[in-house]
């Protein structure tokens, strides 16, 4: 992320957090139901904190309102991107085949040029990660690496 910051790129973080009790979640099955059942990503607890190595820096933007899988749905992400005239979106994070994929597809449909970082995202298994990139990501984004994007922004 520092390479992007140093190159003058905007860095946006899209955290997910729920009020204690997870009343925002109505799903009875799937990953959101599992989040509610496990009481994970509870606001103002360790499970919703940024890891220190990924913590937002003063100039970074933190997207608000993520309550589901896609970084756009229910958030201010599109507003923040458009207000800054951003046309290229570089995605990294967790879960490759869930949140990253949902956000990638929506960014693509909103007309952004999307780049997904294969070496800066992860799934619950290597097989799931590889399958997402092999079968889906090339339809909606340019599959890239951190090194390739760093070179493209002049950081390497």
């Amino acid at each position: 992320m520092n390479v992007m910051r140093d190159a003058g790129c905007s860095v946006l973080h899209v955290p997910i957090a729920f009020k204690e009790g997870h009343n925002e979640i109505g799903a009875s099955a799937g990953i959101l139901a599992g989040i509610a059942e496990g009481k994970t990503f509870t606001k103002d607890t360790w499970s919703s904190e940024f890891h220190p190595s990924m913590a937002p820096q003063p100039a970074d933007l933190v997207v608000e309102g993520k309550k589901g899988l896609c970084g756009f749905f229910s958030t201010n992400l599109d507003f923040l991107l458009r207000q800054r005239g951003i046309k290229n979106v570089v995605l990294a994070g967790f879960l490759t085949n869930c949140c990253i994929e949902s956000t990638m597809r929506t960014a693509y449909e909103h007309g952004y040029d999307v780049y997904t970082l294969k070496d800066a995202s992860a799934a619950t298994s290597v097989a799931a990660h590889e399958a997402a990139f092999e079968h889906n990501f090339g339809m909606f984004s340019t599959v890239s690496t951190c090194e390739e994007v760093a070179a493209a922004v002049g950081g390497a």
Side-chain angles (χ1 to χ4, degrees):
M1 288 188 295
N2 286 333
V3 168
M4 302 302 278
R5 290 181 187 107
D6 292 345
C9 298
S10 297
V11 175
L12 288 81
H13 303 265
V14 189
I16 188 169
F18 300 94
K19 293 178 186 171
E20 188 163 343
H22 293 70
N23 293 333
E24 304 97 327
I25 299 175
S28 60
I31 191 167
L32 290 175
I35 288 170
E37 183 180 309
K39 299 179 174 72
T40 55
F41 305 114
T42 303
K43 186 176 180 173
D44 299 324
T45 69
W46 69 269
S47 68
S48 66
E49 292 177 0
F50 289 99
H51 185 275
S53 67
M54 303 296 289
Q57 300 301 303
D60 294 355
L61 297 169
V62 178
V63 173
E64 298 175 358
K66 186 170 187 260
K67 302 294 181 196
L69 311 178
C70 177
F72 285 91
F73 187 76
S74 78
T75 74
N76 63 340
L77 177 57
D78 193 52
F79 176 81
L80 293 172
L81 294 171
R82 292 190 190 282
Q83 285 294 303
R84 285 156 183 75
I86 294 170
K87 307 248 185 268
N88 299 303
V89 175
V90 179
L91 298 174
F94 189 74
L95 286 161
T96 302
N97 56 333
C98 186
C99 300
I100 299 301
E101 184 165 349
S102 295
T103 304
M104 170 195 67
R105 288 173 180 247
T106 302
Y108 176 82
E109 290 196 42
H110 282 357
Y112 294 101
D113 291 324
V114 184
Y115 301 83
T116 49
L117 299 179
K118 189 172 184 179
D119 59 347
S121 55
T124 57
S125 71
V126 172
H129 176 79
E130 293 295 332
F133 276 98
E134 181 180 343
H135 300 290
N136 298 339
F137 280 48
M139 291 188 289
F140 307 101
S141 71
T142 300
V143 175
S144 305
T145 65
C146 293
E147 185 176 317
E148 291 168 339
V149 169
V153 300

